[in-house]
Amino acid sequence: MKITDTIDSLLKSKGGDRVLSVTPEQSVYEAVEKMAVESIGALLVISEGSLVGILSERDYARKVILKGHSSKETLVREIMTSPVVFVTPQNTVDECMAIMTNQRFRHLPVVDDDVVVGVVSIGDLVRWIISGQAQTIQELEGYITGRYPG
């Protein structure tokens, strides 16, 4: 598990190919309710099979709550972030970390041939990197104590 590994590797290790989404015509209330049920911080917005936006808890807080709007009367399309920055399965963990850090967001859709194949969060990337570091530390400890390789 290295920072040069592809996002495809991360998605495969993450398991489950379920992509959670809402449509632009749904209410923000429905979207936030779905995020709560699924314990996630963002949903993709998909219309007629195409990725058209992303809706995060941050969008909800800044564009609904702070402006005094009603989540039941506001549509997802009114507050979603669009266009969406996305990566492909061939992008590396390091590249995704840089994109998320520079753009200041926590969720990144993964698109392959115009089809959404997954979403990676900043937490997914951090777990991948930490796991790789733990493996390296184990190997170094083995080398230092003479148990390397193995």
Side-chain angles (χ1 to χ4, degrees), residues 27-98:
S27 73
V28 171
Y29 181 87
E30 290 173 295
V32 172
E33 187 175 49
K34 188 171 189 173
M35 283 190 254
V37 167
E38 298 290 345
S39 296
I40 56 173
L43 285 167
L44 300 184
V45 183
I46 296 180
S47 179
E48 298 176 15
S50 294
L51 178 63
V52 295
I54 189 166
L55 180 71
S56 69
E57 293 168 325
R58 185 181 287 178
D59 291 323
Y60 173 64
R62 293 179 180 178
K63 299 173 186 173
V64 176
I65 295 173
L66 289 178
K67 292 190 176 181
H69 297 290
S70 164
S71 61
K72 290 186 177 182
E73 294 170 14
T74 305
L75 298 180
V76 167
R77 69 174 149 77
E78 297 174 53
I79 69 161
M80 69 184 188
T81 299
S82 182
V84 182
V85 174
F86 62 88
V87 294
T88 69
Q90 292 74 40
N91 282 98
T92 65
V93 169
D94 191 38
E95 289 168 339
C96 293
M97 184 67 87

Side-chain angles (χ1 to χ4, degrees), residues 87-126:
V87 294
T88 69
Q90 292 74 40
N91 282 98
T92 65
V93 169
D94 191 38
E95 289 168 339
C96 293
M97 184 67 87
I99 291 167
M100 293 171 111
T101 302
N102 293 335
Q103 300 281 332
R104 294 194 171 153
F105 47 69
R106 298 180 181 112
H107 301 88
L108 198 52
V110 183
V111 178
D112 193 19
D113 290 328
D114 294 326
V115 176
V116 177
V117 295
V119 177
V120 292
S121 70
I122 194 77
D124 295 333
L125 299 176
V126 168

